[in-house]
Short mmCIF file of all heavy atoms in Angstrom, two decimals:
data_model
loop_
_atom_site.label_atom_id
_atom_site.label_comp_id
_atom_site.label_asym_id
_atom_site.label_seq_id
_atom_site.Cartn_x
_atom_site.Cartn_y
_atom_site.Cartn_z
N GLU F 216 -58.23 45.95 -18.60
CA GLU F 216 -57.72 44.87 -17.77
C GLU F 216 -56.40 44.34 -18.27
O GLU F 216 -55.48 44.06 -17.52
CB GLU F 216 -58.75 43.75 -17.68
CG GLU F 216 -60.00 44.09 -16.91
CD GLU F 216 -60.98 44.90 -17.75
OE1 GLU F 216 -60.67 45.12 -18.94
OE2 GLU F 216 -62.03 45.30 -17.23
N SER F 217 -56.30 44.18 -19.64
CA SER F 217 -55.07 43.65 -20.20
C SER F 217 -53.91 44.59 -20.00
O SER F 217 -52.79 44.20 -19.73
CB SER F 217 -55.26 43.33 -21.69
OG SER F 217 -55.53 44.50 -22.42
N ARG F 218 -54.16 45.87 -20.18
CA ARG F 218 -53.08 46.84 -19.97
C ARG F 218 -52.62 46.85 -18.52
O ARG F 218 -51.42 46.98 -18.22
CB ARG F 218 -53.56 48.23 -20.41
CG ARG F 218 -53.68 48.40 -21.91
CD ARG F 218 -53.86 49.88 -22.28
NE ARG F 218 -55.11 50.40 -21.76
CZ ARG F 218 -56.25 50.38 -22.41
NH1 ARG F 218 -56.30 49.84 -23.63
NH2 ARG F 218 -57.37 50.90 -21.87
N ALA F 219 -53.52 46.69 -17.58
CA ALA F 219 -53.15 46.65 -16.16
C ALA F 219 -52.32 45.43 -15.84
O ALA F 219 -51.35 45.48 -15.09
CB ALA F 219 -54.42 46.69 -15.29
N ALA F 220 -52.66 44.28 -16.46
CA ALA F 220 -51.90 43.06 -16.21
C ALA F 220 -50.49 43.17 -16.74
O ALA F 220 -49.54 42.69 -16.13
CB ALA F 220 -52.63 41.85 -16.87
N ILE F 221 -50.35 43.79 -17.90
CA ILE F 221 -49.00 43.96 -18.49
C ILE F 221 -48.15 44.85 -17.61
O ILE F 221 -46.98 44.55 -17.34
CB ILE F 221 -49.13 44.54 -19.90
CG1 ILE F 221 -49.77 43.50 -20.83
CG2 ILE F 221 -47.78 44.94 -20.43
CD1 ILE F 221 -50.09 44.03 -22.23
N ARG F 222 -48.71 45.93 -17.11
CA ARG F 222 -47.94 46.82 -16.23
C ARG F 222 -47.57 46.13 -14.94
O ARG F 222 -46.47 46.32 -14.40
CB ARG F 222 -48.76 48.10 -15.96
CG ARG F 222 -48.84 49.03 -17.15
CD ARG F 222 -49.34 50.41 -16.72
NE ARG F 222 -50.71 50.31 -16.20
CZ ARG F 222 -51.80 50.45 -16.95
NH1 ARG F 222 -51.68 50.65 -18.26
NH2 ARG F 222 -53.00 50.37 -16.41
N ALA F 223 -48.46 45.28 -14.41
CA ALA F 223 -48.14 44.55 -13.15
C ALA F 223 -47.00 43.57 -13.38
O ALA F 223 -46.12 43.39 -12.57
CB ALA F 223 -49.38 43.84 -12.65
N GLY F 224 -47.00 42.88 -14.54
CA GLY F 224 -45.93 41.89 -14.83
C GLY F 224 -44.61 42.61 -15.02
O GLY F 224 -43.56 42.08 -14.63
N GLU F 225 -44.57 43.77 -15.60
CA GLU F 225 -43.32 44.47 -15.79
C GLU F 225 -42.73 44.95 -14.47
O GLU F 225 -41.52 45.08 -14.29
CB GLU F 225 -43.54 45.67 -16.71
CG GLU F 225 -43.85 45.28 -18.16
CD GLU F 225 -44.15 46.48 -18.99
OE1 GLU F 225 -44.29 47.57 -18.41
OE2 GLU F 225 -44.25 46.32 -20.24
N GLY F 226 -43.54 45.14 -13.48
CA GLY F 226 -43.04 45.65 -12.21
C GLY F 226 -42.47 44.57 -11.30
O GLY F 226 -41.69 44.87 -10.41
N GLU F 227 -42.80 43.26 -11.51
CA GLU F 227 -42.30 42.19 -10.64
C GLU F 227 -40.88 41.82 -11.01
O GLU F 227 -40.60 41.60 -12.19
CB GLU F 227 -43.20 40.96 -10.79
CG GLU F 227 -44.60 41.16 -10.19
CD GLU F 227 -45.42 39.89 -10.32
OE1 GLU F 227 -44.91 38.92 -10.90
OE2 GLU F 227 -46.58 39.88 -9.85
N PRO F 228 -39.91 41.69 -10.03
CA PRO F 228 -38.53 41.26 -10.32
C PRO F 228 -38.49 39.78 -10.61
O PRO F 228 -39.30 39.00 -10.10
CB PRO F 228 -37.78 41.61 -9.02
CG PRO F 228 -38.83 41.54 -7.95
CD PRO F 228 -40.09 42.04 -8.58
#
Side-chain angles (χ1 to χ4, degrees):
E216 290 81 2
S217 63
R218 287 193 295 270
I221 292 173
R222 287 195 297 269
E225 291 176 351
E227 290 182 359

